[in-house]
Amino acid sequence: MTEPAKVATVSLEGKTASLPVHSGTLGPDVLDIRKITADLGVFTFDPGYGETASCTSKITFIDGEKGVLLHRGYPIAQLAEQATFTEVAYLLLNGELPTTAQHDDFVATLNSHTLLHEQIRNFFNGFRRDAHPMAILCGTVGALSAFYHDAIDISNEASRNLSAVRLIAKLPTIAAWAYKYTQGEAFVYPRNDQTYAENFLSMMFAHPSEPYQVNPILARAMDRILILHADHEQNASTSTVRMAGSTGANPFACVAAGIAALWGPAHGGANEAVLKMLAKIGSKDNIPEFIAQVKDKNSGVRLMGFGHRVYKNFDPRAKIMQATCHEVLGELGIKDDPLLDLAVELEKIAISDEYFVKRSLYPNVDFYSGIILKAMGIPTSMFTVLFALARTTGWISQWKEMIEEPGQRISRPRQLYTGSPERDFVPFAKRG
């Protein structure tokens, strides 16, 4: 952290604190409150940490007011349109885009770790066939440390790098096998002659009994989905990974914690909620009534997949995903799916309705990604798994950055206690 250029003076009940003000490369200045308790005898209060910077980071920057998302300084649109997911993964991990040689080495290293230890197959048999794929993913990732304990010394740089590569390489295999298991289908092993996205689609949809050819349009769409979800600054799951990592927990446990946080419908289930909303609307004829209910604050009806907590303007990821959505629908020739027709019609109405435009309730990345995944034949139960697959790269990059930060401390938030004051124990006989 740079030396503060200014200092803010805060006074409370006759006490004064001089708080350093730090400036980042981009974004608002940050008031350093680490000495506020010693100087003023108070804690700060910020439920949800919405106004609190919990760390320094060089990985991702978001300006929600302007609709900006940068990875290591590169705009997300440029990365999604011109780079591959493995290039972005290298960028997030290492800080710079790879040269051709560096990228080839990185992909070769990932390919050498795509296989799972054969005993891990036994884990899948321990789950019920109707288990949610996220339950399988969370449990299996957490168990990886029992098989790959040769490189979980977080104080060793080589071990950290190896664990990072293993997680990025093995997540597609675990995710695809979770799907295959719930479908009662044979597991398909990874193919190292394919790209990251192609390999995942092959493991999802191929069968050992016949050849499978990956559609290049669908592979590119999947690659973009992975890029657009790779990292998103200090969100709930990323903060969970960092908090777990601050205890010294191994990286597999930390990523499993991130998966558990992502599983929450308020975080990772947004694109699934879009399809549930469309199913509830039922048909294009019901859209006007639905829109009217959305505008009625007393109805409790929400327009899912529109607007974003962070972005007060257009979600920068949505523009790329919108184009990709129409590419996929056109490639697959889908013209008679009522749900997808309904989504397209809802999009047209919402982006032209003054009520939504005025409130910046534009379609976000979750609206389009849900439509794309459904069109590709991926069930809604796998949507959050896909999110976790993409976000693992961001999680492990953030984890590495945190571990390597000088002076890193265990996370320990404070609280505003509102319970009973100290009181004496009352024996049974005197409680009435």
Side-chain angles (χ1 to χ4, degrees):
M1 184 180 294
T2 59
E3 288 298 315
K6 356 177 224 188
V7 174
T9 301
V10 179
S11 298
L12 178 68
E13 297 179 347
K15 297 178 180 179
T16 301
S18 296
L19 306 177
V21 180
H22 298 282
S23 299
T25 309
L26 298 168
D29 289 345
V30 175
L31 188 66
D32 189 337
I33 60 169
R34 283 177 288 182
K35 294 184 178 180
I36 197 169
T37 304
D39 292 345
L40 300 182
V42 297
F43 297 139
T44 56
F45 185 61
D46 184 19
Y49 311 115
E51 311 300 327
T52 299
S54 62
C55 64
T56 62
S57 182
K58 299 178 180 179
I59 298 174
T60 298
F61 173 77
I62 296 173
D63 186 329
E65 297 294 332
K66 297 179 180 178
V68 171
L69 171 59
L70 308 177
H71 288 327
R72 301 288 191 178
Y74 295 100
I76 188 62
Q78 294 182 20
L79 293 174
E81 291 170 354
Q82 301 178 52
T84 62
F85 177 70
T86 45
E87 286 180 86
V88 174
Y90 184 97
L91 172 68
L92 292 175
L93 282 170
N94 299 290
E96 298 292 342
L97 287 168
T99 64
T100 300
Q102 289 171 333
H103 183 255
D104 290 344
D105 288 344
F106 182 62
V107 170
T109 303
L110 288 176
N111 287 342
S112 68
H113 292 285
T114 54
L115 287 169
L116 298 175
H117 192 290
E118 275 297 294
Q119 283 186 289
I120 293 177
R121 289 179 62 107
N122 298 330
F123 272 77
F124 291 86
N125 294 327
F127 293 97
R128 286 171 49 125
R129 286 286 179 181
D130 59 356
H132 196 288
M134 280 295 282
I136 300 175
L137 186 71
C138 187
T140 306
V141 170
L144 290 179
S145 61
F147 291 87
Y148 304 106
H149 47 73
D150 59 315
I152 57 175
D153 179 3
I154 64 172
S155 65
N156 182 278
E157 183 180 5
S159 291
R160 293 195 299 270
N161 292 337
L162 179 55
S163 292
V165 165
R166 279 174 168 165
L167 278 160
I168 296 171
K170 296 181 188 303
L171 254 292
T173 309
I174 298 172
W177 283 15
Y179 168 72
K180 287 293 193 182
Y181 182 77
T182 61
Q183 300 301 303
E185 297 179 3
F187 293 157
V188 174
Y189 283 82
R191 285 180 50 182
N192 294 339
D193 60 329
Q194 296 179 322
T195 67
Y196 195 89
E198 289 171 343
N199 181 45
F200 174 68
L201 290 174
S202 291
M203 290 190 290
M204 279 281 292
F205 297 117
H207 298 281
S209 57
E210 57 189 38
Y212 176 78
Q213 186 66 38
V214 180
N215 184 314
I217 301 296
L218 302 189
R220 182 58 181 146
M222 179 57 64
D223 206 58
R224 284 179 179 163
I225 288 174
L226 295 175
I227 290 172
L228 294 175
H229 289 86
D231 193 59
H232 209 235
E233 214 193 71
Q234 305 308 316
N235 54 78
S237 57
T238 300
S239 297
T240 298
V241 171
R242 278 182 170 264
M243 185 170 284
S246 75
T247 70
N250 71 74
F252 302 108
C254 295
V255 170
I259 293 170
L262 187 69
W263 196 355
H267 187 12
N271 47 16
E272 184 175 352
V274 169
L275 292 190
K276 289 180 178 179
M277 174 191 71
L278 295 174
K280 189 174 182 180
I281 295 173
S283 73
K284 289 190 283 188
D285 294 337
N286 297 331
I287 290 180
E289 180 184 353
F290 174 77
I291 293 294
Q293 290 177 330
V294 171
K295 294 178 181 179
D296 181 1
K297 295 181 179 179
N298 298 318
S299 70
V301 176
R302 295 179 60 197
L303 184 62
M304 305 304 297
F306 287 75
H308 195 280
R309 179 180 176 182
V310 172
Y311 299 110
K312 308 308 177 187
N313 202 315
F314 203 92
D315 183 342
R317 302 167 298 172
K319 295 179 181 180
I320 302 102
M321 197 54 68
Q322 179 190 44
T324 303
C325 180
H326 293 295
E327 286 176 13
V328 169
L329 295 181
E331 174 67 16
L332 297 177
I334 296 177
K335 298 179 180 179
D336 56 356
D337 188 312
L339 210 60
L340 297 179
D341 290 342
L342 179 58
V344 173
E345 186 65 22
L346 182 61
E347 175 199 17
K348 290 178 182 178
I349 293 175
I351 63 177
S352 61
D353 190 302
E354 183 180 354
Y355 177 89
F356 300 109
V357 173
K358 185 178 179 181
R359 291 164 174 77
S360 298
L361 293 176
Y362 301 106
N364 60 35
V365 69
D366 298 308
F367 181 80
Y368 295 112
S369 63
I371 299 171
I372 293 171
L373 295 176
K374 183 182 187 304
M376 292 173 67
I378 296 174
T380 55
S381 62
M382 282 292 294
F383 285 6
T384 315
V385 173
L386 262 293
F387 197 158
L389 167 58
R391 188 56 57 83
T392 292
T393 295
W395 287 335
I396 201 62
S397 299
Q398 296 270 356
W399 173 84
K400 282 179 82 276
E401 181 180 64
M402 180 207 63
I403 293 296
E404 293 164 3
E405 178 77 14
Q408 183 271 323
R409 301 173 60 192
I410 186 172
S411 296
R412 179 57 170 88
R414 297 294 187 169
Q415 66 173 15
L416 175 62
Y417 178 70
T418 58
S420 298
E422 183 176 353
R423 51 185 173 173
D424 292 327
F425 177 80
V426 180
F428 269 127
K430 296 182 179 181
R431 291 182 212 163

